[in-house]
């Protein structure tokens, strides 16, 4: 199945070059690479991601020409780009929204891999390299968000670096080492800038390995069965390049919508307020693509034995990514594609819903109630009277004081304080915990078990036969 | 593949070529912002001007001020220097054009066209050698002033006379006279 | 005969089958839903109050600013807001640039010259005052944040350069806030020195109601009401926050049309190409 380089130089120059640097042979190999003929549009996201990475690198290098990494100047230099630099607004909005589009594409790419079992033998290394790229992307995106030095930049950096403070014994030392001081400040901004510039090139290197690891076993495909002969494949160029180009163009329409018509909707208004180390915004949220992990971090609100809730949250969050590294060995099924795994297919869609739910939960205030069983006991003229009513209720019934909630209400120009007795409330923190448990259960319980008990559908003999059969039907 | 039809391949090729060409045009258009961003931005283009007080400059003295990142020489010339500059026939100069941004582009490099209008003792010039951009010597008392008593560029040996005109050496043009005007007898505005 | 067979085989080509395009339809649908969700969030201010929505000339995909509205808005800013709020990132020259209020160069020179700025040091090392020029920023009412707080009972009037982008709800928020001053509800626990505003988080704002009917003189016959002032200054501040909005909308249209045509060409090119493979 491994594809040999069959390139023969056609003229004297290419022959001369090929003996010294077989780059033409490599290009030939890439273009002629036999690709399963049944790849669907979910497979165009690899090319889209390559485009995203290159766009981020090119626009990023340009932004650096105009940006100043200093706490006193960073915010204004970004606005200088937006206001004065020729097409600066375009380049910055492409870069900022490009990060979101990059994550949108990578999530689709990853869920495609999960659905069609692309992580299974012989593609474990390919998958692991992909997870490394994803981790590096998160690091780059986080540090990039710090650079405009707005309120979300500063407080996001503060919260995330403080996670490392949860590590026993060395936590404080690590935190100060990350900051280069006793709080997030100029040294932090400058080192984040340096690393933000470096990481994309590391990603580029790992992408080369990722493609190399792809070209050894070849592409997986929607049927999940291996390529048997030439009937099953088409040449990458032009058959797949034209599909990739169409996929990319449609993707760019969405990209362009954000850049030109809604460039700030994916960001947060607070990041247009310059960083103020003395004042935290009322509601800190990371960018949307990190929200599921933020929800997992906040889901652990209780101590587990010697592990306090803070460290527990950090462990759960890093664990939720670490688990992806061992996924190829957690899934025990021999069948790759969900098309032939009816039970797995249903659980997969539930898993997608769990991930989306975590994303939603990560964006909400943790004490927001989702459903509640409660009773309004009365509306009072002032907070003092409300407190007195609560005290009375506590003394007369078996309710405790923390079961009562006060809300300001204004009705027909009259102010009052409404007191509510909450008998039971399911809030965002509880939902996050349930979803976190389901997230881990999918990998640790479901995938190992399903492979053992699931009755899979019969696999087609070959890709070409399946394609023909589908056509007849 | 073994499809034999005379007109279809041409139609097909045309579609491929049109698609490729259309994509290429878009790609080329997308490159322009990436290039144009390096041009001077709006804040740099908002022409800055400076005012210079001349009251402390004695005859025979010079000062250097910075304008838009460049040195500007302001010299109050002696009568002898003015005479010397006036005595040179314009047609013998390596660059016979005045290079004065306050005048039209092709006026001859007479001393009157180089010095301040009606105030011939004042000479205002951008102090950048027209060869490769070094700052010529000659502003300070002890500086080498070159063979013609004006300015001398140490980088590649260009000699400028007392009207800032190139006389000898590799520089192709006279020193540039920037846009400036007298606000009062002892105050000028450059830019 | 042979041709017909091929043509028939070509029919269920990937490029013609809806199910293969489903990923994009699904992605678009999910994004659209997400967008609706996101769009619904900024409609509320911090106090979780539904904002008033005004019709803005710059909202739609082809939206542009109304020049005379921006000029009126600048007048309101200059005569009312500028007493406390700086606009440090906006220069007088911006008032003349394309896509803004588009004052003439001469008008901008005159507007700038109304204010002085400290410059220097001069050749003696002294700082001096001179008239502002188009290249200079708008004058700030206070020397620094501490001075601003000292003059405003401890509250800091925020800089207005990017204020519309810095508040969820944007122009609607500015408009709602400026028209949201009311008598506090009966029994509302007001802190001393604070003012009741229906749209401010917690309803207590340090800024006193800044706008009253006929406080700013309009010469073009536009009604001189609080509502109109609020709309005009919100539009002006939107421009100040996003001075390249018109260029962005215009280029966006060109890019979208290009991409749509390219997608069409690629679709048909792909169909032709893949016809052989089925």
């Amino acid at each position: 199945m491994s594809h040999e380089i069959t390139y023969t130089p056609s003229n004297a120059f290419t022959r001369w070059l090929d003996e010294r640097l077989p780059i033409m042979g490599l290009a030939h190999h890439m273009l002629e690479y036999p690709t399963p003929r049944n790849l669907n549009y979910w497979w165009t996201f690899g090319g889209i991601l390559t485009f995203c990475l290159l766009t981020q690198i090119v626009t990023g290098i340009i932004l650096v020409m105009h940006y100043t990494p200093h706490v006193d100047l960073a915010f204004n230099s970004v606005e200088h780009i937006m206001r004065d630099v020729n097409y600066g607004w375009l380049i910055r909005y492409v870069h900022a929204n490009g990060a979101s589009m990059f994550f949108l594409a990578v999530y689709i790419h990853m869920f495609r891999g999960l659905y069609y079992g692309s992580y299974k033998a012989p593609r474990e290394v390919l998958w692991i390299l992909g997870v490394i790229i994803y981790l590096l992307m998160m690091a780059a995106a986080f540090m990039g968000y710090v650079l405009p030095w707005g309120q979300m930049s500063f407080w996001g950096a503060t919260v995330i670096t403080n996670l490392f403070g949860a590590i026993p014994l060395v936590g404080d030392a690590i935190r100060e080492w990350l900051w280069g001081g006793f709080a997030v400040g100029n040294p932090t901004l400058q080192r984040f800038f340096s690393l933000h510039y470096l990481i994309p090139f590391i990603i580029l290197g790992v992408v080369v390995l990722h493609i190399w690891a792809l070209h050894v076993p070849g592409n997986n495909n929607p049927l999940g069965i291996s390529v048997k002969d030439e009937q099953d494949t088409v040449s990458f160029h032009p058959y797949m390049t034209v599909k990739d180009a169409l996929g990319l163009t449609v993707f760019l329409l969405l990209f362009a919508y954000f850049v030109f018509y809604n460039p700030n909707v994916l960001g947060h208004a607070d990041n247009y307020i310059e960083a103020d180390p003395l004042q935290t915004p009322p509601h800190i949220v990371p960018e949307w693509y990190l929200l599921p992990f933020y929800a997992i971090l906040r889901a652990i609100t209780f101590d587990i034995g010697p592990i306090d809730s803070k460290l527990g949250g950090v462990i759960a969050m890093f664990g939720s990514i670490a688990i992806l590294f061992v996924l190829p060995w957690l899934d025990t099924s021999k069948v790759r594609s969900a098309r032939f795994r009816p039970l797995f297919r249903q659980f997969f869609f539930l898993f997608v819903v769990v991930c989306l739910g975590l994303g939603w939960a990560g964006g909400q205030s943790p004490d927001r109630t989702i459903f509640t069983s409660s009773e309004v006991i009365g509306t009072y003229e002032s907070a003092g009277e409300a407190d007195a009513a609560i005290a009375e209720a506590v003394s007369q019934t078996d309710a405790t004081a923390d079961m009562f909630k006060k809300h300001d209400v204004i009705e027909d120009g009259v102010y009052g304080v409404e007191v509510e007795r909450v008998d039971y409330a399911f809030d965002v923190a509880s939902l996050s915990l349930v979803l976190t448990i389901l997230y881990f259960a999918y990998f640790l319980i479901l995938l190992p078990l399903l492979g053992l008990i699931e009755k899979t559908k019969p696999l087609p003999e070959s890709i070409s036969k399946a394609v023909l059969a589908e056509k007849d039907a | 593949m073994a499809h034999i039809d005379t007109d279809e391949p041409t139609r097909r090729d045309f579609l491929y070529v049109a698609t490729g060409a259309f994509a290429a045009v878009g790609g080329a258009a997308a490159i322009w912002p990436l290039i144009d961003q390096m041009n001077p931005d709006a804040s740099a283009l908002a022409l800055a001007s400076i005012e210079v007080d001349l009251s402390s400059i004695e005859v025979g003295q010079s000062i250097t001020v910075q304008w838009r990142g460049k040195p500007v020489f302001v010299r109050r010339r002696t009568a002898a220097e003015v005479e010397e500059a006036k005595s040179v026939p314009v047609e013998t100069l390596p660059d016979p054009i005045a290079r004065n941004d306050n005048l039209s582009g092709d006026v001859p490099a007479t001393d009157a066209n180089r010095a301040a209008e009606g105030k011939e003792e004042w000479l205002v010039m951008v102090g950048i050698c027209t060869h490769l951009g070094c700052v010529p010597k000659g502003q300070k008392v002890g500086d080498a002033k070159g063979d013609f008593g004006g300015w001398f560029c140490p980088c590649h040996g260009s000699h400028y006379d007392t009207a800032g005109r190139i006389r000898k050496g590799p520089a192709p043009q006279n020193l540039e006279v920037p846009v400036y005007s007298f606000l009062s007898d002892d105050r000028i505005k450059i830019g | 005969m042979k041709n017909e067979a091929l043509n028939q085989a070509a029919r269920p080509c990937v490029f013609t089958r809806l199910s293969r395009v489903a990923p994009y339809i699904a992605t678009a649908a999910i994004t659209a839903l997400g967008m609706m969700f996101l769009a619904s969030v900024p409609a509320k201010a911090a106090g979780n109050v539904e904002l008033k929505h005004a019709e803005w000339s710059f909202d739609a995909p082809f939206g542009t600013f109304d020049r005379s509205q921006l000029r009126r808005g600048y007048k309101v800013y200059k005569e009312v807001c500028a007493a406390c709020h700086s606009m440090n990132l906006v220069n007088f020259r911006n008032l003349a640039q394309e896509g803004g209020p588009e004052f003439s160069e001469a008008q901008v020179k005159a507007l700038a010259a109304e204010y002085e700025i400290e410059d220097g040091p001069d050749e003696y090392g002294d700082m001096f005052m001179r008239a502002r020029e188009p290249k200079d920023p708008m004058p700030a009412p206070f020397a620094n944040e501490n001075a601003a707080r000292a003059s405003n009972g401890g509250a800091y009037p925020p800089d207005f350069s990017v204020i519309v982008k810095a508040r969820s709800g944007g122009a609607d928020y500015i408009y709602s806030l400026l028209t949201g001053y009311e008598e506090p509800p009966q029994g509302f626990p007001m802190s001393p020195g604070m003012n009741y505003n229906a749209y401010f988080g917690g309803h207590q704002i340090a800024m006193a109601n800044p706008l009253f009917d006929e406080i700013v003189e309009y010469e073009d016959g536009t009604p001189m009401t609080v509502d109109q002032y609020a709309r005009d200054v919100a539009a002006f501040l939107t421009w100040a926050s996003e001075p390249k909005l018109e260029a962005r909308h215009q280029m966006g249209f060109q890019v979208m049309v290009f991409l749509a045509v390219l997608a069409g060409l690629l679709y048909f090119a792909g169909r032709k190409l893949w016809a052989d493979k089925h």
Side-chain angles (χ1 to χ4, degrees):
Chain A
M1 150 101 237
S2 185
H3 176 58
E4 299 299 324
I5 293 179
T6 53
Y7 169 72
T8 37
S10 55
N11 62 42
F13 172 72
T14 48
R15 205 172 306 122
W16 177 88
L17 182 66
D18 199 54
E19 281 167 14
R20 286 154 182 83
L21 180 72
I23 194 163
M24 303 286 284
L26 183 68
H28 182 81
H29 161 86
M30 303 289 269
L31 290 176
E32 303 281 295
Y33 191 77
T35 315
R37 60 188 296 169
N38 59 336
L39 295 190
N40 59 29
Y41 274 96
W42 296 113
W43 260 264
T44 61
F45 282 88
I48 288 170
L49 284 162
T50 312
F51 174 86
C52 286
L53 176 62
L54 296 178
T55 303
Q56 290 304 89
I57 289 178
V58 169
T59 53
I61 287 172
I62 287 171
L63 289 172
V64 169
M65 296 180 188
H66 307 282
Y67 168 79
T68 312
H70 187 282
V71 291
D72 294 337
L73 302 168
F75 186 85
N76 287 356
S77 72
V78 171
E79 278 303 313
H80 163 69
I81 293 169
M82 294 295 294
R83 285 156 191 275
D84 288 338
V85 173
N86 304 319
Y87 295 106
W89 59 269
L90 173 66
I91 293 160
R92 174 171 176 252
Y93 276 154
V94 167
H95 195 74
N97 286 288
S100 280
M101 300 314 289
F102 203 163
F103 274 95
L104 177 67
V106 89
Y107 283 130
I108 294 172
H109 193 64
M110 289 168 78
F111 279 116
R112 188 267 287 155
L114 288 173
Y115 184 80
Y116 293 110
S118 301
Y119 48 84
K120 291 185 200 182
R123 297 185 182 83
E124 302 96 320
V125 172
L126 174 62
W127 170 261
I128 288 170
L129 287 166
V131 178
I132 291 172
I133 293 171
Y134 174 53
L135 259 181
L136 288 168
M137 277 173 63
M138 286 200 280
F142 161 64
M143 291 191 207
Y145 198 54
V146 174
L147 303 184
W149 208 241
Q151 275 287 66
M152 280 294 165
S153 302
F154 183 90
W155 293 101
T158 300
V159 168
I160 300 299
T161 49
N162 268 314
L163 293 181
F164 293 90
I167 301 170
L169 302 174
V170 292
D172 284 344
I174 289 181
R175 219 166 38 166
E176 284 176 11
W177 175 76
L178 285 171
W179 289 337
F182 303 105
V184 172
N186 198 53
T188 326
L189 175 61
Q190 291 197 321
R191 65 193 56 181
F192 278 15
F193 174 59
S194 169
L195 295 173
H196 180 71
Y197 203 130
L198 169 70
I199 290 173
F201 296 96
I202 300 178
I203 293 178
L204 194 61
V206 184
V207 165
V208 170
L209 297 181
H210 190 66
I211 294 173
W212 186 7
L214 169 70
H215 279 216
V216 176
N219 292 79
N220 186 26
N221 64 80
L223 296 172
I225 56 174
S226 300
V227 167
K228 296 224 165 49
D229 55 38
E230 261 179 43
Q231 290 287 307
D232 291 348
T233 65
V234 290
S235 161
F236 180 73
H237 179 75
Y239 293 98
M240 288 304 158
T241 42
V242 73
K243 275 183 93 165
D244 279 357
L246 178 56
L248 177 63
T249 306
V250 175
F251 183 80
L252 283 178
L253 275 165
L254 182 68
F255 198 151
Y257 163 74
F258 282 112
V259 168
F260 294 106
Y261 296 114
N262 225 337
N264 293 306
V265 73
L266 298 171
H268 197 291
D270 279 341
N271 224 31
Y272 280 106
I273 304 172
E274 194 170 359
D276 180 357
L278 303 181
Q279 205 167 19
T280 306
H283 185 45
I284 298 190
V285 281
E287 291 278 77
W288 69 267
Y289 41 80
L290 300 177
L291 287 174
F293 301 102
Y294 196 54
I296 292 174
L297 172 77
R298 296 191 309 188
I300 313 295
T301 51
F302 45 85
D303 299 350
I304 309 164
I307 302 168
D308 66 11
S309 60
K310 184 176 173 185
L311 181 58
V314 174
I315 291 172
M317 187 183 76
F318 284 112
S320 66
I321 301 163
I323 206 163
L324 297 174
F325 284 98
V326 289
L327 169 63
W329 296 276
L330 290 174
D331 188 345
T332 50
S333 175
K334 294 277 175 279
V335 176
R336 292 195 193 99
S337 173
R339 277 196 192 172
F340 307 105
R341 301 183 63 191
L343 264 180
F344 167 82
R345 192 161 176 271
Q346 289 174 24
F347 282 115
F348 169 83
F349 288 118
L350 280 178
F351 177 70
V352 174
V353 171
V354 165
C355 292
L356 291 174
L358 281 167
W360 178 82
Q364 303 301 314
S365 171
D367 53 6
R368 171 176 176 169
T369 50
I370 296 166
F371 52 84
T372 171
S373 149
S374 66
E375 194 186 343
V376 175
I377 66 166
T379 305
Y380 305 90
E381 276 183 17
S382 70
E385 280 180 39
D387 286 336
I390 292 170
E392 199 190 322
V394 170
S395 67
Q396 286 179 356
T397 62
D398 54 359
T400 54
D402 56 6
M403 285 169 65
F404 293 93
K405 275 193 173 175
K406 293 184 285 185
H407 318 276
D408 287 354
V409 285
I410 294 164
E411 226 163 83
D412 302 329
V414 180
Y415 169 81
V417 181
E418 187 183 84
V419 174
E420 192 183 13
R421 190 190 66 241
V422 182
D423 298 314
Y424 173 75
F426 186 74
D427 58 11
V428 166
S430 319
L431 175 72
S432 302
L433 181 62
V434 171
L435 293 175
T436 301
I437 292 168
L438 290 175
Y439 178 93
F440 282 99
Y442 177 79
F443 292 106
L444 294 174
I445 300 170
L446 194 79
L447 288 183
L449 266 183
L450 264 189
L452 305 177
I453 60 169
E454 185 178 36
K455 192 176 176 319
T456 57
K457 290 185 193 168
L459 294 176
E461 224 173 291
S462 76
I463 294 172
S464 50
K465 287 208 171 118
V467 171
L468 282 172
E470 202 179 326
K471 197 155 54 189
D472 291 343
Chain B
M1 283 286 201
H3 191 65
I4 303 155
D5 193 328
T6 43
D7 71 38
E8 182 142 81
T10 19
R11 240 172 63 203
R12 199 178 281 197
D13 290 347
F14 173 75
L15 183 59
Y16 296 158
V17 170
T19 307
F22 194 69
V25 167
I31 289 181
W32 172 244
L34 309 182
I35 294 168
D36 189 39
Q37 53 85 20
M38 292 234 266
N39 278 318
D41 63 43
S43 61
L45 290 175
L47 289 183
S49 57
I50 55 162
E51 289 179 20
V52 183
D53 180 18
L54 307 179
S55 59
S56 62
I57 306 174
E58 303 291 335
V59 173
Q61 283 186 341
S62 307
I63 61 163
T64 307
V65 293
Q66 201 176 5
W67 171 68
R68 291 168 73 180
K70 298 187 281 195
V72 173
F73 294 166
V74 182
R75 179 160 179 84
R76 189 171 186 183
R77 297 184 295 176
T78 62
E81 283 171 345
V82 175
E83 269 323 300
E84 196 183 326
K86 278 184 171 171
S87 66
V88 185
V90 173
E91 55 281 6
T92 66
L93 292 168
D95 178 17
I97 297 171
R99 311 288 170 194
N100 185 336
D101 293 345
N102 302 285
L103 305 173
S104 68
D106 51 359
V107 293
T110 59
D111 187 65
N113 283 341
R114 297 276 306 163
E117 198 184 342
K119 297 179 192 315
E120 62 178 20
E121 64 176 353
W122 292 104
L123 188 63
V124 180
M125 306 179 300
V126 174
I128 290 180
C129 180
T130 55
H131 180 218
L132 290 171
C134 295
V135 179
K137 292 279 170 196
Q139 286 291 89
K140 279 188 276 182
V141 178
D143 275 358
K145 291 180 187 298
D147 294 353
F148 301 89
W151 289 266
F152 170 69
C153 183
C155 289
H156 306 95
S158 291
H159 299 255
Y160 294 92
D161 68 13
T162 54
R165 295 172 297 200
I166 181 65
R167 298 293 289 275
K168 188 177 144 190
Q173 290 180 4
N174 303 327
L175 292 175
E176 182 198 345
V177 177
V179 173
Y180 70 98
S181 57
F182 275 82
L183 299 172
S184 65
D185 275 351
D186 54 6
R187 209 165 173 79
I188 57 167
K189 182 181 173 189
I190 304 172
Chain C
M1 215 36 218
K2 198 179 173 189
N3 278 355
E4 220 176 273
L6 262 162
N7 284 341
Q8 242 170 16
R11 219 159 274 153
C13 157
V14 280
F15 275 87
T16 56
R17 292 190 42 216
L18 191 68
S19 67
R20 304 291 170 95
V21 201
Y24 279 97
I25 295 167
T27 310
I30 289 167
T31 315
L33 284 172
M35 289 292 311
M36 280 190 260
F37 169 72
L38 284 166
S40 71
V41 177
K44 293 183 174 182
N48 238 7
V49 188
E50 194 88 18
L51 294 173
K52 283 199 266 186
H53 178 69
E55 290 296 318
W56 303 108
S57 65
F58 45 81
D59 259 354
F62 295 102
T64 54
F65 291 111
D66 172 351
R67 312 271 162 246
S68 39
Q69 183 173 44
L70 292 189
R71 290 175 187 204
R72 292 194 305 268
Y74 171 64
K75 196 158 194 264
V76 175
Y77 166 74
K78 182 180 152 184
E79 292 176 16
V80 181
C81 319
C84 297
H85 293 275
S86 59
M87 222 161 169
N88 293 331
L89 301 174
V90 179
N91 303 304
F92 283 103
R93 66 179 159 84
N94 298 130
L95 295 172
Q97 84 196 8
E98 211 182 318
E102 295 187 1
F103 285 108
S104 70
E105 299 284 342
Q107 282 172 313
V108 168
K109 259 190 183 147
L111 287 171
E114 290 175 26
Y115 305 93
E116 288 202 311
I117 189 172
E118 188 177 56
D119 202 349
D122 62 12
E123 53 270 52
Y124 309 108
D126 299 323
M127 302 306 279
F128 59 92
M129 299 302 286
R130 62 163 174 80
R132 283 185 196 244
E133 292 169 22
K135 65 171 175 162
D136 293 315
M138 302 248 178
F142 303 105
N144 50 53
E145 185 178 333
N146 290 2
R149 284 190 190 277
S151 304
N152 288 282
Y156 177 49
D159 184 83
F160 272 2
S161 312
V162 284
I163 196 76
V164 169
K165 289 197 286 189
R167 294 291 179 276
S168 53
D172 280 340
Y173 174 76
I174 307 287
Y175 170 61
S176 301
L177 186 86
L178 287 174
T179 53
Y181 284 89
E182 296 169 1
E183 279 301 308
Q186 190 191 330
F188 190 87
M190 291 295 294
S191 302
M194 301 299 271
N195 304 279
Y196 187 83
N197 190 301
Y199 298 98
F200 193 72
H203 299 306
Q204 300 196 61
I205 184 168
M207 175 170 73
N209 187 0
L211 294 177
F212 300 95
D213 288 350
E214 304 196 352
I215 193 176
V216 178
E217 189 73 25
Y218 280 167
E219 279 137 24
D220 59 357
T222 310
M224 296 188 279
T225 59
V226 168
D227 190 82
Q228 188 63 41
Y229 292 148
R231 285 167 195 263
D232 292 350
V233 83
F236 172 71
L237 293 175
T238 304
W239 165 77
S241 293
E242 197 66 13
K244 300 298 170 71
L245 178 141
E246 290 189 9
R248 177 155 62 74
H249 283 178
Q250 196 187 348
M251 188 190 285
F253 177 67
Q254 293 163 349
V255 170
M256 297 295 242
V257 168
F258 171 82
L259 288 173
V261 173
L262 181 61
L265 282 171
L266 281 166
Y267 173 79
F268 288 110
R271 242 174 86 132
K272 289 252 178 217
L273 181 72
W274 277 83
D276 287 346
K277 282 288 164 191
H278 290 276

